[in-house]
Amino acid sequence: MFEDELELSATEEKKFRNYVKKNLKADLVGCYEAAVQAAKDQGLLPAAYNSASAMYYEDLPALLHIDRLLNGPPKDHLLSYLIIDEAQDYMPYEITELHALTKRNGIMLIGDLGQNLNRANTLRDWNVLGELIGDLSLYELKATYRSTAQIVEVSNEIIGPFATGKYSLSAETFRDGEPVEFVEFTPDKEEEELIQILEQAVFDSKYEPVAVIVKDESMIERYHYMIDPYFSVAIQTAGKLPTGTKVVITTPSAVKGLEFEAVVIVRFSDYEPTDDDRKLAYVATSRALHQLYIMVEKGKASLI
């Protein structure tokens, strides 16, 4: 808003910034809290919101922006080139401010929008970034080499409705494998069916470890209790992958960036046909290298 409404010459801008530094003694946090108060006054934030009570990671772009407005970009310290991996996890505001710290055309973003699991993140289409940072060139890497063609096909079917009009789906690779197994179950037989799947994967196919992926952390203890009498099982919620275990119970959010020889997705019917749930299911299915099992409750609809 500040930059849009005032058009100053280079000389005027320099005088203005020098005046601010010398006379106003504005600090970043003070300016940020004033901006928050203005947003509350305009009804853009809840009146009960208290910016002074805590500072969060998501506040950093605003602080960088304020610093740039007050002091200008760090001309002597601009980055020659910046590569951001997993860029789908960055908010557009973050990308805009990081771009401002680089020299012209000095930023590369690498990511998969289908794996953006941050529900607070408004980045849904790479093309919108062109309106924010300009000079945007989009290159799609379509081939995937992690999973078999059968797993890629199922993953694409899940994420397809979200991806349509935004980006191209991954191409099926030369890696041919076993068909994805869809296993119907009734609630009273779920444990029996799950254990049979794990016995097939661990003992017959010699896959290790096998990931059992539940939709969210609230379901972990239930499945740990179900599997523990039969297999060595560990819980993976974040960070390092457990070792020395046959089965790992985890969630889509915790398993990003990891891969397993075999994956079992339980209660697939719990994933609803929304963008957020499609992305959760997509991340879960695409973790499988060789074999994917999907458990669907009998009589209930599922994403595919």
Side-chain angles (χ1 to χ4, degrees):
M1 176 176 171
F2 174 54
E3 291 178 311
D4 291 342
E5 293 184 1
L6 292 179
E7 295 184 5
L8 304 177
S9 67
T11 301
E12 290 172 330
E13 183 176 347
K14 184 177 181 180
K15 289 181 178 179
F16 175 74
R17 294 189 190 283
N18 289 336
Y19 178 84
V20 168
K21 290 179 182 179
K22 182 177 180 179
N23 299 291
L24 298 186
K25 300 185 185 301
D27 67 281
L28 295 182
V29 176
C31 288
Y32 181 63
E33 291 179 348
V36 169
Q37 184 59 52
K40 289 165 65 174
D41 293 342
Q42 296 177 41
L44 301 176
L45 283 174
Y49 181 83
N50 183 6
S51 63
S53 62
M55 191 69 70
Y56 298 96
Y57 168 82
E58 289 79 6
D59 296 315
L60 291 178
L63 293 172
L64 282 172
H65 192 179
I66 292 170
D67 182 64
R68 187 159 55 86
L69 292 176
L70 292 176
N71 304 310
K75 296 179 181 178
D76 296 332
H77 303 286
L78 289 177
L79 300 174
S80 297
Y81 210 79
L82 176 63
I83 300 175
I84 301 177
D85 195 14
E86 301 291 345
Q88 74 278 352
D89 293 332
Y90 286 72
M91 296 180 292
Y93 199 3
E94 290 177 286
I95 293 173
T96 301
E97 289 308 308
L98 288 170
H99 179 261
L101 298 178
T102 67
K103 296 179 181 179
R104 182 173 175 82
N105 297 324
I107 189 168
M108 175 187 289
L109 309 174
I110 305 171
D112 180 354
L113 287 176
Q115 296 191 47
N116 173 12
L117 302 185
N118 180 2
R119 299 195 178 198
N121 191 341
T122 58
L123 183 57
R124 297 290 187 270
D125 188 336
W126 295 118
N127 292 299
V128 303
L129 294 177
E131 303 171 8
L132 300 174
I133 63 177
D135 298 324
L136 180 68
S137 297
L138 182 63
Y139 299 94
E140 293 188 330
L141 304 178
K142 300 178 183 178
T144 178
Y145 301 96
R146 174 191 287 126
S147 306
T148 65
Q150 290 80 0
I151 295 170
V152 172
E153 182 178 4
V154 168
S155 299
N156 284 346
E157 189 174 350
I158 289 170
I159 201 63
F162 167 77
T164 300
K166 301 182 182 74
Y167 61 91
S168 300
L169 297 174
S170 300
E172 297 179 24
T173 69
F174 58 86
R175 285 194 60 214
D176 193 41
E178 296 296 325
V180 174
E181 292 195 29
F182 290 84
V183 179
E184 275 195 332
F185 70 91
T186 56
D188 60 318
K189 295 290 185 180
E190 182 182 16
E191 179 177 332
E192 180 181 333
E193 294 286 357
L194 176 56
I195 300 306
Q196 286 181 4
I197 290 173
L198 292 175
E199 288 176 343
Q200 176 185 332
V202 173
F203 299 134
D204 298 341
S205 300
K206 307 299 183 184
Y207 294 139
E208 186 178 326
V210 176
V212 174
I213 301 182
V214 300
K215 186 178 179 181
D216 58 61
E217 291 188 11
S218 67
M219 304 167 68
I220 286 179
E221 287 300 326
R222 176 172 180 259
Y223 284 92
H224 185 273
Y225 179 82
M226 192 182 296
I227 297 169
D228 186 55
Y230 305 92
F231 295 92
S232 58
V233 57
I235 294 173
Q236 194 265 335
T237 54
K240 195 173 180 181
L241 182 66
T243 58
T245 183
K246 299 290 186 184
V247 179
V248 173
I249 303 176
T250 185
T251 65
S253 299
V255 84
K256 278 182 61 178
L258 301 179
E259 54 190 31
F260 300 86
E261 293 189 352
V263 166
V264 184
I265 301 179
V266 299
R267 304 196 67 85
F268 189 65
S269 304
D270 289 351
Y271 294 86
E272 299 179 357
T274 63
D275 286 349
D276 288 332
D277 273 14
R278 284 188 181 279
K279 288 186 284 187
L280 288 172
Y282 171 70
V283 168
T285 58
S286 61
R287 299 308 96 194
L289 292 171
H290 309 302
Q291 184 63 64
L292 175 63
Y293 304 88
I294 296 179
M295 298 186 67
V296 182
E297 186 171 346
K298 191 173 184 179
K300 288 193 174 182
S302 66
L303 293 179
I304 54 176

